[in-house]
Amino acid sequence: MTPGRAAGLALVVLLAAGPVIPLGGMREYVLHVMVQIFVWSFIGGAWALMGRFRLVSLGHGAFLGLGAYTATLLWNHYGLTPWLGGVAAVALTAAVAVIVAYPCSRLQVVGHYFALVTLAVGEVVRLLIIAERNWTGGSLGISLRPAGRDSLLAVQFADKRVFYYAGLVLWLLGLWVWLRVDRSMARSAMEAIGEDETAAASVGIHVTRFKIWITVLSASLTAVGGVAYAQYISYVNPDTLAGIGVSLRIVFAVVLGGMYSLLGPTVGTALTIALAEYLRVVFGLKFIGMAETIYGLLLILSIIFLPSGIYGSLRDLAARLWGAPARAEA
Amino acid sequence: MIDPIFLAEAAINGIMLGGILALLALGLNLIFGVIDIVWIAYVDLVMVCMYALYFFVQVYGWPFWLGALGAVAVGAALGVGVHLLIISPILASPPVNQLLATGGLLFFLQSFATFLWTTDHKSVRFSLPSWELGGIFFPATRLIPFALSIVALVGLYVFLTRTYMGTAIRAVSQDREAMALMGASPRRIYLVTSAVGGLMAGLAGALLTFQYSVHPFFGNQFGPLTFMICVLGGLGNMVGAFVASFIMSEIISVAGVVWSTEMGYVIAFVVFIVMMFIRPGGILARRG
């Protein structure tokens, strides 16, 4: 067993034991923060599946919002269990992802253009949710209809530990998918496409197919994250789950952590959530806006001074200090 | 059925809005075309200029024209500041980092504005006349900004085509490596471009003040729209951006009257996405 694998196993054991660690009155709060970290890391990881191949999407809020709203509306209006609602949400999101990705890949919409097209998609979803206010609650958002008691069918539980373990499993699932992609042939193909599409096509890589495939995978996982988040918070809002704000937040966390490594998105998400929570606790209701101001400032500084992300920079540093063979990264 | 007079009024309002959108889009497009970086926070700089104008006029009691000049100066200073502090250190970074650095500026400006000035809407009060022609109203609060933005656009055009600096800026946007070889300093050109871009933001802010009240999240209303106009017109293509501004503003105005404001934006964005697939190089580009 390699040291890396042992450390990973120890981490998982520690996380699995998390809820039984006695934390007194803090427990509920710590669990709440941890669930958020799990879910948003999963979403960040889903974004990184595309981002690492230079498909920079600024519209993952669209997929997140579609997922969360589809499952929530199906449950609220038709009483359909979020398990099936989630399947419908993923199917719908995947369809939208194909509609966006197919022309983008066929017509070589890349770089800035791709970022702006996806940004438009995110805004369209946000505005549609607001426009359909009779049904979706508009910009006020909508609460999940309470099932009244703990229910596996409605995925509603009073005990946060249930969500903690569900979040942990979700997060591990995200890491597993990331590893599968990382070790697949598709990765080499996608890297070649990211470097030079024409060259990749000329050596027989089916550019369109790979791009659509990775976009659909990333979008579907993001939708799953959206459903999970909606179930946990039991409230959905177009500004927190769709549009440019949340899309940028996802990308920030990932780039801050480092998008080319397995744990980069997790590290970035954990740090941004910890920072946001810390600032919120420090400032409370005084100085409204100050917490976000510092958040924005730190983001700018970290992008200027830590261009390969915190995790990436630390690993480079470690590699230099101990002379460990640094893995070649883009 | 909607009264045709409402449609006509919406169409005219669309043209008026188009003038201001063109100003916003050309400032951003200039920076986009020359420095090759999208300032995600561009319209948030406009928001800061609008606050500056509000304070100059409503709090310090300056006359409006002086306040507007002050706002333009603030805009130019902001443009230079953003370039020196944020953009120049990351000129060589991957595009995603560049997008995010200015995205971080967006969060910073919006929340710092919330902190300083709260989320209340602030507006400069005007008492300006309104004219009627054939049942359609032409309020001065729409006519004046439209006329001034057209003047500013002509001014920008003259600057870019008739001055040495303007020619150098256009040359860099066509080929940045060759321009450095020709002896033009990209550093200086970038700085001037950022200042001009910021100046346009200040001017757009002053003109938007005629019709809109300012609040910290003002940028979210126009920001995505402005990027899309730039792309729709073709990045760095000034004429294209100009035409695209009017297409988008007409869609938003007319669809806003026929359905709802949000649907107006939705349709405009969908048109943008579809156009992106039909003409990826911008509406005026020849198919390559």
Side-chain angles (χ1 to χ4, degrees), chain A residues 56 58 100 103-104 107 112-113 115-117 119-121 123-124 127-128 130-131 133 245 248-249 251-252 255 259 287-290 292-293 296-297 300 303-304 307, chain B residues 32 36 38 40 85-86 89-90 95-97 99-101 103-105 107-108 111-112 114-115 224 227-228 231 235 262-263 265-266 269-270 272-273 276-277 280 287:
Chain A
V56 175
L58 295 185
V100 177
C104 277
L107 300 164
H112 286 325
Y113 290 89
L116 291 169
V117 168
L119 190 142
V121 175
E123 283 295 295
V124 166
L127 290 164
L128 274 177
I130 295 175
R133 52 177 65 78
L248 278 177
R249 258 167 219 278
V251 188
F252 268 139
V255 173
M259 66 170 132
F287 308 119
I288 288 173
M290 204 54 199
E292 289 274 287
T293 306
L297 202 60
I300 301 174
I303 284 166
I304 294 176
Chain B
F32 217 160
D36 198 26
V38 190
I40 299 270
L85 294 176
I86 300 177
I90 54 165
V96 58
N97 285 22
L99 281 172
L100 287 182
L105 184 65
F107 279 114
F108 172 76
S111 36
F112 200 49
T114 309
F115 170 66
F227 311 138
M228 281 160 216
V231 178
L235 291 186
E262 290 90 10
M263 281 315 281
Y265 277 88
V266 167
F269 290 174
V270 169
F272 162 76
I273 295 168
M276 209 64 262
F277 299 144
R287 289 295 313 252

Side-chain angles (χ1 to χ4, degrees), chain A residues 43 128 191:
Chain A
I43 295 167
L128 274 177
E191 273 177 355

Side-chain angles (χ1 to χ4, degrees), chain B:
Chain B
M1 188 58 209
I2 295 153
D3 195 339
I5 205 93
F6 285 128
L7 284 183
E9 194 163 342
I12 290 168
N13 283 343
I15 295 175
M16 305 283 172
L17 177 66
I20 297 175
L21 287 183
L23 203 59
L24 280 173
L26 288 189
L28 182 62
N29 211 5
L30 186 69
I31 296 168
F32 217 160
V34 175
I35 311 177
D36 198 26
I37 291 181
V38 190
W39 286 19
I40 299 270
Y42 187 73
V43 187
D44 299 279
L45 298 177
V46 174
M47 178 268 293
V48 175
C49 297
M50 288 173 78
Y51 269 110
L53 179 61
Y54 168 80
F55 279 99
F56 291 151
V57 175
Q58 292 297 114
V59 180
Y60 304 126
W62 296 9
F64 186 82
W65 62 269
L66 188 63
L69 282 183
V72 170
V74 168
L78 281 173
V80 171
V82 167
H83 183 75
L84 289 181
L85 294 176
I86 300 177
I87 304 298
S88 54
I90 54 165
L91 273 176
S93 300
V96 58
N97 285 22
Q98 298 172 337
L99 281 172
L100 287 182
T102 61
L105 184 65
L106 174 143
F107 279 114
F108 172 76
L109 289 176
Q110 290 187 353
S111 36
F112 200 49
T114 309
F115 170 66
L116 287 178
W117 303 309
T118 73
T119 50
D120 298 342
H121 288 232
K122 301 248 190 337
S123 52
V124 176
R125 279 179 289 280
F126 291 99
S127 51
L128 288 168
S130 183
W131 296 280
E132 195 206 318
L133 186 72
I136 298 170
F137 284 94
F138 291 89
T141 49
R142 285 180 196 272
L143 280 179
I144 294 174
F146 177 72
L148 286 177
S149 61
I150 296 300
V151 170
L153 293 173
V154 172
L156 180 69
Y157 181 79
V158 170
F159 168 71
L160 286 177
T161 50
R162 296 283 182 275
T163 64
Y164 177 79
M165 198 63 198
T167 311
I169 286 175
R170 282 186 304 130
V172 170
S173 72
Q174 280 168 10
D175 191 333
R176 69 197 67 246
E177 279 82 24
M179 225 13 228
L181 297 176
M182 299 298 157
S185 152
R187 279 174 55 97
R188 217 173 113 233
I189 287 168
Y190 284 180
L191 206 57
V192 173
T193 306
S194 302
V196 173
L199 191 146
M200 305 275 284
L203 189 61
L207 299 181
L208 282 164
T209 304
F210 278 91
Q211 289 173 57
Y212 296 91
S213 54
V214 63
H215 55 95
F217 302 99
F218 183 83
N220 290 353
Q221 193 177 343
F222 284 100
L225 188 61
T226 309
F227 311 138
M228 281 160 216
I229 289 172
C230 288
V231 178
L232 193 58
L235 291 186
N237 184 336
M238 296 288 156
V239 184
F242 189 76
V243 176
S245 306
F246 287 93
I247 295 177
M248 292 300 247
S249 67
E250 280 301 329
I251 293 172
I252 288 169
S253 270
V254 175
V257 168
V258 177
W259 291 286
S260 67
T261 314
E262 290 90 10
M263 281 315 281
Y265 277 88
V266 167
I267 293 169
F269 290 174
V270 169
V271 167
F272 162 76
I273 295 168
V274 172
M275 285 302 291
M276 209 64 262
F277 299 144
I278 303 172
R279 288 188 163 270
I283 40 175
L284 296 184
R286 283 181 216 94
R287 289 295 313 252

